[in-house]
Amino acid sequence: MLSAFTARPIVELKSRDKSKVESILAYGDRLLVGLSHGSLRVYRINEPIDETQTPDPQAAEDQRSSSIPRHNPVDLMREEEKFSKHKVEQLAIVKEANLLLSLSNGLVSIHDLQTYQLQETLLKTKGATDFAVTSNIVRDPSTDVNSIVSRLAVAVKRRLILWSWHDSELSAETAEHTLVTGIKTLTWATGTKLIAGLTSSYVLLDVETSAVTDIVGPGSIGGAPGQDGGRFGGVGVSTINYMGLGGVAPKPLATQLGEGELLLAKDINTLFIDVQGQSLGRRQIPWAVAPEAIGYSYPYLLALQATRGTLEVRNPETLTLLQTISLPNASQLHISQPNISLAHAGKGFLVLSERCIWRMAALDYDSQIDALVERSRLDEAISLLGMLEDALLKDKEGRLREIKMLKAQTLFDLRRYRESLDIFTEVSAPPERVIRLFPPIIAGHLSAQSDALQDGQESKESYADHVTSNSGSPPKGPGETGSGDAALSHTSTDDSKAEKAHTTSSSSDQAKSTHKVPLLEGKDLKAATAELRPFLVSARTRMQKYLNPDGTLRDAQTSKVPDVSNVQEAQELLLAHVPGSAEERRQQLLETARLVDTTLFRAYMYASPSLAGPLFRLDNFCDPDVVKEKLIETGRYNDLVDFYHGKKLHEQALELLLKFGKKEQGDEIASQLAGPQRTVIYLQSLPAELIDLILRFADWPLDVDPDLGMEVFLADSENAETLPRQKVLDFLSRKDKALAERYLKHIIEELNDMTPRFHQRLVEIYVQGLKEGVFADESARRRWEDHTLSFLRSSRNYQPYKALQMLPGDNPKFYEARALVLNKMGQHKQALEIYVFKIQNPDKAEEYCNQVQLAENVSSTFAIPGKRSLATDIENKTTPIYHNLLSLYLSPPPPHKPQWGPALQILAKHGARMPASSTLELIPEVLPIKELESYFRGRIRSANTMVNESRVTSALRSSLVFSEESKLRLGDGVPGGNGGRNRHVLITEDRVCGVCYKRFGGSAIKVLPK
């Protein structure tokens, strides 16, 4: 049982004193005691020895029972013998008004709090049975000023009478309410709402609005609104048996609990409600006997069992009985209200009997938590930590987290894996602490079960000794239970107990060193592993807040290894706090990340091997040795390749692909990796920095399947486009000239690479291929020749002089190629000589001239945009290319003869483009004029065309001038548009310039366009 409070008698009436204690009131350091003969004794409470520092209640009890002299807990200051003529039944104060209230002989009297002299007797209260006082700070809505409002409620049979004080001044007005039955008890729920315990029920009264709400509860708490059970309506089953013996119905009790929560109790029935009188739906307190009084001493619920002479201390959330204190003949509880004293805030309260008053001293909360943990009452410890404020505990968050992890360990031992791992995830438990609960197949060398397997029976005996040393009793068997030894606190009934799996301690280090993990195997291991995976995934997510995929800390800005932004949360990921530099913290985080990912991999491989593959496609910190061993053992080579890729172990992955890629397709194990396809895909995913590795392992795919192997360098991907092109070209040139040609065409035509050396290299490959002449057939040779001529014609980035040196002049295969190179050099006449005299193809010669003329026209168009050549300009131009071709036809060098037919075709088609004077000089005299008819027709037609075009242009320009002039004179006719000369501006004496804001007067006027 918990020892939250220890009872210490502070007032004991001597045997010769015939009076009895009827009521008490404690405020500040004063204790007022009302006696049965009407006297009032005033005691001063001395500050007691701090018993809360004694962790062992038994030692404290021994110290109190020893003969060592102690100072008096209270000193009698005075005694007012004539305080009242009858017994003092109840005491209360209105501190702000310096008043003491008493109930005696059915009347409420007002006394001075300092002199205890009677000031007034409230005659309206004749026949009063109970009263209640409350004080609250209220903001006046009209003045917006805070004031202290105290209220007194007095129960007189069925009537409820209310008085109020505003800032120590008694209000002249009183309020009175009549309820359905006699009022037994009064309890303030808030500053304006009052709980009245009636003979058969409870009601909630709002003193401001006079609204009365019936509270409906179970059993003797109350029935439906207006229901009256008569004399025995509120009597419980346990009380009816004694009614014939003169027993009385139990009082309706009520007490405030936490903020906005109250407890109603009558007989053995209880009801939890809010300040609106609505039930909270919580179960009843399992009382065997009706309590005489109830109260709330933060954070515990108190119940005084007068018939048993005991005080019960319960958790108000779980309703578990935590402590039973023996107090013979105790009859009343006195707990100071917050507006009177802070003594209730964990410092203690008072219990009284007819002859004695006990002060309940509270053990400090940290010791109470330790005591609950030592007794394995983990749920109670968690509940208590949740109710206590942070300032009352040392490291509340840390203690709560540690106890929840102990609870999770206990649940794990009880094979409640889902609940256990949910708690571990909720508190962000260190992954190492969770992983070590599993066998080596999941946790590896970290497993705590490996030690258990090695130690065997010796481990069991040492564990039994440890349990005995901690609990002070021998360990119980599987079926034995004991009070306070349940593995978890239970909230249903006091009789429900759970098997005690192991003894835990509040220290995490001690828990980790002494906790013995039960062996997991079979279905239990599969179930535990299934619940472990979400925890590890959550841990991976938390690790990503601090670690980059490369193992460095995030937010590396000011230093190479910066501090983690949230140190506390990062330390939660570690098994123990690691002092020192940020580098040490980084190492610990990295080791934890490696442990988490490796364990997650083992869990996948054990329960769901198909899920291991997606893990490798993400950034991970798995141990390569563990992964390799497991995947090879299960034959999952494809996943092993993915893992190597994710860990950037590319050489090992490519060696594995090479090993299985060259095997026969019939091998079932390597069927997915057979052939070069998988290797090519892997090489395409590698960055350009690994060019040496790419070239090394791209060799065998090119040998097996050149088209597939070339996809490594020709793929439409960023990696392929950023490869060092010179290295790739050298590698492919050594393999095969055709592969080098394909790569060069790809980077030049598709990637638009204008590097001169690549263009020159492609020319060399084309020329060398034509020289060697090694082709499969004539069509292959023609395709190669066409590619060569096309590239020589289109490219401008190779060096023509070097290309011309490579082309032999006496080989007919290279005639046209030499002509194209001469074109790039500007040697058009030599190129035309090749077409006219060597190739002897007038069509190609004419096509050559057309291409050159088109290029000159384009360049002249960009040089002088919009200018058209006139007939007179032709005479001043350089001799056109057609003139050179015509001269070769008509005046060929020896031993060639003139070619009249092609010459006449050139004159007919392109005569207008050539200067007339030089052209006519080339025509020999022996040529008939009739043959030149087409030439002259073309010249005349060209001249007429230019004249007509100039006329049309002149007419269009005249029309445009006329249109613009009409707009200026007459306007454009658009409303609000340009008015032309019809536009007018009105100038008045008030008109000013829109720019300088001066009056116009007699100055000149300039109208702006708008």
Side-chain angles (χ1 to χ4, degrees):
M1 298 294 285
L2 176 66
S3 296
F5 299 97
T6 56
R8 181 185 183 191
I10 58 174
V11 175
E12 294 180 281
L13 300 184
K14 297 179 180 180
S15 58
R16 64 177 181 270
D17 192 345
K18 302 303 180 180
S19 59
K20 299 177 183 179
V21 178
E22 295 291 341
S23 61
I24 61 173
L25 173 65
Y27 66 95
D29 62 346
R30 292 292 185 268
L31 174 62
L32 307 183
V33 180
L35 302 180
S36 58
H37 54 72
S39 298
L40 179 69
R41 291 181 183 176
V42 182
Y43 294 91
R44 180 182 63 194
I45 302 176
N46 299 320
E47 193 66 27
I49 298 176
D50 191 0
E51 299 176 4
T52 62
Q53 299 300 324
T54 306
D56 187 0
Q58 185 62 36
E61 183 66 27
D62 295 340
Q63 181 180 1
R64 288 192 296 270
S65 61
S66 64
S67 59
I68 299 176
R70 298 171 297 173
H71 70 285
N72 294 326
V74 296
D75 294 329
L76 179 61
M77 302 296 294
R78 60 189 296 181
E79 181 174 358
E80 293 290 335
E81 296 182 355
K82 298 182 180 181
F83 183 78
S84 175
K85 295 180 180 181
H86 303 276
K87 63 180 181 180
V88 182
E89 301 174 15
Q90 191 176 351
L91 293 171
I93 66 170
V94 180
K95 190 175 181 180
E96 294 72 23
N98 199 30
L99 298 177
L100 173 64
L101 305 178
S102 67
L103 174 61
S104 179
N105 193 28
L107 288 171
V108 176
S109 303
I110 300 177
H111 305 262
D112 185 271
L113 187 57
Q114 302 298 326
T115 63
Y116 309 107
Q117 296 299 316
L118 178 64
Q119 291 185 351
E120 183 182 359
T121 298
L122 302 177
L123 298 178
K124 285 186 178 182
T125 64
K126 186 176 182 180
T129 56
D130 192 18
F131 71 85
V133 178
T134 184
S135 296
N136 300 275
I137 298 177
V138 178
R139 180 181 294 274
D140 190 342
S142 60
T143 61
D144 199 26
V145 176
N146 291 334
S147 61
I148 300 177
V149 178
S150 301
R151 288 186 172 91
L152 167 65
V154 182
V156 183
K157 297 181 181 180
R158 293 172 51 193
R159 294 184 301 134
L160 180 64
I161 308 174
L162 296 170
W163 284 266
S164 61
W165 285 263
H166 296 267
D167 289 334
S168 74
E169 293 184 3
L170 178 62
S171 176
E173 298 180 358
T174 60
E176 185 173 333
H177 305 273
T178 302
L179 304 181
V180 293
T181 60
I183 304 172
K184 300 299 183 180
T185 58
L186 295 175
T187 305
W188 285 101
T190 64
T192 60
K193 293 184 179 181
L194 186 68
I195 297 289
L198 308 182
T199 304
S200 58
S201 62
Y202 288 86
V203 296
L204 177 67
L205 173 66
D206 190 326
V207 299
E208 290 184 337
T209 63
S210 300
V212 178
T213 303
D214 292 282
I215 299 175
V216 180
S220 58
I221 294 295
Q227 180 179 350
D228 190 355
R231 179 181 179 186
F232 300 102
V235 183
V237 176
S238 61
T239 308
I240 293 177
N241 297 332
Y242 298 95
M243 294 302 295
L245 302 179
V248 296
K251 291 194 306 182
L253 306 176
T255 184
Q256 292 186 8
L257 298 178
E259 184 176 355
E261 185 177 354
L262 296 96
L263 171 64
L264 308 182
K266 190 172 185 182
D267 199 358
I268 60 173
N269 298 308
T270 58
L271 177 65
F272 291 90
I273 62 172
D274 58 17
V275 294
Q276 306 300 328
Q278 300 299 319
S279 174
L280 298 178
R282 298 177 55 185
R283 66 185 184 90
Q284 296 192 50
I285 300 175
W287 281 325
V289 180
E292 182 69 20
I294 61 174
Y296 178 74
S297 180
Y298 180 82
Y300 297 110
L301 174 62
L302 309 173
L304 183 61
Q305 303 285 358
T307 56
R308 296 183 176 183
T310 59
L311 177 68
E312 293 184 357
V313 180
R314 293 180 180 269
N315 185 328
E317 288 186 351
T318 65
L319 307 183
T320 305
L321 179 61
L322 300 178
Q323 184 182 6
T324 301
I325 305 173
S326 178
L327 298 172
N329 302 320
S331 59
Q332 295 186 40
L333 286 175
H334 176 75
I335 302 172
S336 300
Q337 298 300 319
N339 51 25
I340 298 177
S341 172
L342 294 177
H344 75 292
K347 295 185 178 181
F349 54 95
L350 301 176
V351 182
L352 63 146
S353 67
E354 292 182 350
R355 307 293 298 176
C356 183
I357 301 175
W358 293 272
R359 181 171 186 177
M360 310 305 293
L363 192 68
D364 67 280
Y365 295 120
D366 289 297
S367 300
Q368 294 182 37
I369 298 298
D370 293 340
L372 289 172
V373 173
E374 289 174 4
R375 292 166 174 80
S376 297
R377 308 294 294 271
L378 302 179
D379 276 339
E380 298 301 328
I382 293 172
S383 176
L384 181 58
L385 282 168
M387 291 185 293
L388 293 173
E389 297 180 359
D390 296 355
L392 300 177
L393 294 165
K394 299 176 182 177
D395 187 19
K396 174 184 174 179
E397 294 298 328
R399 295 288 301 276
L400 182 60
R401 178 172 177 265
E402 175 60 29
I403 295 173
K404 284 186 176 181
M405 287 191 288
L406 292 176
K407 177 183 177 181
Q409 286 184 357
T410 303
L411 290 171
F412 192 90
D413 296 344
L414 297 175
R415 290 177 171 79
R416 295 160 63 179
Y417 305 117
R418 174 169 295 183
E419 299 174 46
S420 173
L421 271 299
D422 286 346
I423 294 176
F424 277 130
T425 304
E426 175 190 348
V427 301
S428 301
E432 180 179 345
R433 184 166 181 173
V434 180
I435 293 170
R436 70 187 306 272
L437 300 175
F438 287 80
I441 192 174
I442 301 297
H445 67 279
L446 186 65
S447 173
Q449 296 188 8
S450 60
D451 298 335
L453 290 172
Q454 295 174 3
D455 295 344
Q457 185 63 32
E458 180 182 355
S459 174
K460 296 180 180 179
E461 294 175 358
S462 62
Y463 172 56
D465 295 339
H466 169 72
V467 173
T468 304
S469 63
N470 281 282
S471 62
S473 61
K476 297 177 175 59
E480 299 181 47
T481 58
S483 61
D485 290 337
L488 295 173
S489 299
H490 301 278
T491 59
S492 58
T493 62
D494 291 339
D495 296 333
S496 59
K497 305 292 182 181
E499 176 186 1
K500 181 178 180 182
H502 63 279
T503 300
T504 56
S505 65
S506 60
S507 170
S508 61
D509 296 334
Q510 183 180 358
K512 287 179 285 184
S513 62
T514 62
H515 179 70
K516 299 300 180 181
V517 181
L519 296 179
L520 285 179
E521 55 186 1
K523 294 182 178 179
D524 287 337
L525 180 56
K526 278 191 174 293
T529 304
E531 302 302 333
L532 174 66
R533 290 181 301 181
F535 170 80
L536 295 176
V537 171
S538 175
R540 290 189 79 249
T541 304
R542 287 185 282 125
M543 293 300 303
Q544 292 173 0
K545 297 179 182 179
Y546 309 105
L547 286 177
N548 291 311
D550 58 355
T552 59
L553 289 176
R554 288 190 179 275
D555 299 328
Q557 297 178 353
T558 57
S559 59
K560 191 173 183 180
V561 185
D563 290 336
V564 180
S565 59
N566 192 336
V567 179
Q568 180 180 0
E569 187 173 352
Q571 290 174 353
E572 291 177 357
L573 298 173
L574 304 176
L575 184 61
H577 173 65
V578 181
S581 63
E583 176 62 24
E584 294 177 355
R585 187 181 297 108
R586 186 190 69 83
Q587 288 294 337
Q588 285 289 340
L589 287 171
L590 187 59
E591 292 175 5
T592 304
R594 186 178 296 112
L595 172 64
V596 169
D597 286 352
T598 304
T599 306
L600 183 59
F601 162 73
R602 288 194 181 104
Y604 282 145
M605 292 301 297
Y606 178 78
S608 303
S610 60
L611 297 178
L615 175 63
F616 302 147
R617 298 181 185 95
L618 303 174
D619 295 325
N620 62 82
F621 297 93
C622 292
D623 189 342
D625 296 334
V626 175
V627 174
K628 180 180 178 181
E629 178 184 354
K630 284 285 184 182
L631 293 180
I632 292 179
E633 179 183 342
T634 56
R636 303 179 67 86
Y637 297 103
N638 198 34
D639 289 338
L640 182 57
V641 172
D642 291 337
F643 173 72
Y644 280 149
H645 182 271
K647 301 298 290 183
K648 295 182 173 52
L649 301 175
H650 304 299
E651 186 173 359
Q652 292 89 323
L654 290 169
E655 288 176 353
L656 185 66
L657 290 172
L658 174 62
K659 174 183 175 181
F660 291 103
K662 292 185 176 182
K663 286 189 176 183
E664 297 296 333
Q665 293 288 340
D667 192 346
E668 296 181 359
I669 297 179
S671 60
Q672 296 179 345
L673 306 180
Q677 178 70 34
R678 190 71 173 83
T679 301
V680 171
I681 294 175
Y682 192 97
L683 292 174
Q684 288 176 337
S685 65
L686 298 182
E689 294 78 9
L690 302 176
I691 182 60
D692 295 334
L693 189 66
I694 294 173
L695 297 180
R696 174 183 163 191
F697 286 93
D699 188 65
W700 78 272
L702 289 172
D703 294 338
V704 176
D705 189 346
D707 292 336
L708 180 61
M710 282 300 294
E711 290 299 318
V712 176
F713 312 107
L714 305 182
D716 187 13
S717 64
E718 183 179 357
N719 290 337
E721 294 177 4
T722 55
L723 291 174
R725 294 170 182 174
Q726 186 61 48
K727 285 189 175 184
V728 175
L729 180 61
D730 295 341
F731 168 75
L732 294 176
S733 298
R734 292 192 298 268
K735 291 287 296 181
D736 189 352
K737 295 294 188 297
L739 300 180
E741 182 262 345
R742 285 185 60 186
Y743 181 71
L744 285 171
K745 283 187 64 179
H746 172 72
I747 63 175
I748 291 174
E749 296 177 2
E750 297 186 17
L751 303 184
N752 198 27
D753 192 329
M754 297 301 172
T755 306
R757 66 175 183 272
F758 293 145
H759 289 249
Q760 186 65 33
R761 178 60 179 155
L762 183 56
V763 171
E764 293 175 359
I765 292 176
Y766 278 140
V767 173
Q768 188 176 0
L770 289 175
K771 286 181 178 179
E772 294 176 355
V774 182
F775 300 103
D777 50 18
E778 183 63 20
S779 63
R781 188 196 67 80
R782 287 186 178 279
R783 284 197 302 273
W784 187 272
E785 184 177 356
D786 291 341
H787 291 164
T788 304
L789 296 178
S790 176
F791 182 73
L792 291 174
R793 184 182 297 109
S794 61
S795 176
R796 297 183 179 182
N797 294 347
Y798 63 88
Q799 299 178 5
Y801 297 99
K802 291 184 178 181
L804 188 63
Q805 293 175 1
M806 291 187 294
L807 297 171
D810 55 351
N811 192 336
K813 297 179 181 179
F814 298 98
Y815 284 163
E816 188 171 358
R818 287 181 61 87
L820 294 176
V821 173
L822 290 171
N823 177 26
K824 297 297 181 183
M825 298 172 63
Q827 305 293 333
H828 300 300
K829 187 173 183 179
Q830 297 180 21
L832 288 173
E833 288 178 354
I834 294 176
Y835 282 113
V836 173
F837 302 121
K838 293 184 177 182
I839 300 179
Q840 297 180 359
N841 191 332
D843 294 336
K844 287 189 176 182
E846 183 181 356
E847 179 64 24
Y848 177 87
C849 294
N850 292 338
Q851 294 295 334
V852 173
Q853 184 64 33
L854 180 62
E856 290 180 355
N857 291 341
V858 171
S859 61
S860 63
T861 301
F862 281 103
I864 309 176
K867 182 177 180 181
R868 178 179 176 84
S869 300
L870 302 177
T872 56
D873 295 337
I874 297 179
E875 304 295 334
N876 302 326
K877 283 190 174 183
T878 307
T879 302
I881 186 67
Y882 298 103
H883 190 275
N884 294 333
L885 180 58
L886 183 63
S887 64
L888 291 177
Y889 282 142
L890 297 178
S891 302
H896 302 288
K897 296 180 179 180
Q899 301 180 29
W900 304 110
L904 292 175
Q905 290 182 1
I906 293 298
L907 287 172
K909 293 180 180 180
H910 307 287
R913 292 189 175 93
M914 295 182 288
S917 57
S918 58
T919 301
L920 293 174
E921 290 177 358
L922 291 175
I923 299 175
E925 296 178 356
V926 296
L927 186 67
I929 297 298
K930 185 179 180 179
E931 300 293 337
L932 299 177
E933 180 182 0
S934 59
Y935 166 70
F936 290 117
R937 285 179 179 276
R939 293 286 303 183
I940 295 171
R941 185 180 294 111
S942 176
N944 290 336
T945 298
M946 283 188 274
V947 171
N948 292 334
E949 183 178 349
S950 63
R951 289 177 179 175
V952 171
T953 302
S954 176
L956 290 174
R957 291 184 179 276
S958 299
S959 176
L960 180 62
V961 170
F962 177 79
S963 174
E964 293 298 328
E965 185 176 358
S966 63
K967 286 182 181 182
L968 291 175
R969 293 177 177 273
L970 304 177
D972 53 12
V974 178
N978 182 17
R981 290 187 176 183
N982 293 330
R983 180 185 177 188
H984 62 279
V985 178
L986 179 63
I987 302 297
T988 63
E989 296 180 355
D990 299 331
R991 189 71 179 268
V992 295
C993 176
V995 179
C996 63
Y997 301 103
K998 293 182 180 180
R999 293 185 183 276
F1000 288 110
S1003 59
I1005 300 174
K1006 180 179 181 181
V1007 179
L1008 298 176
K1010 295 183 180 180

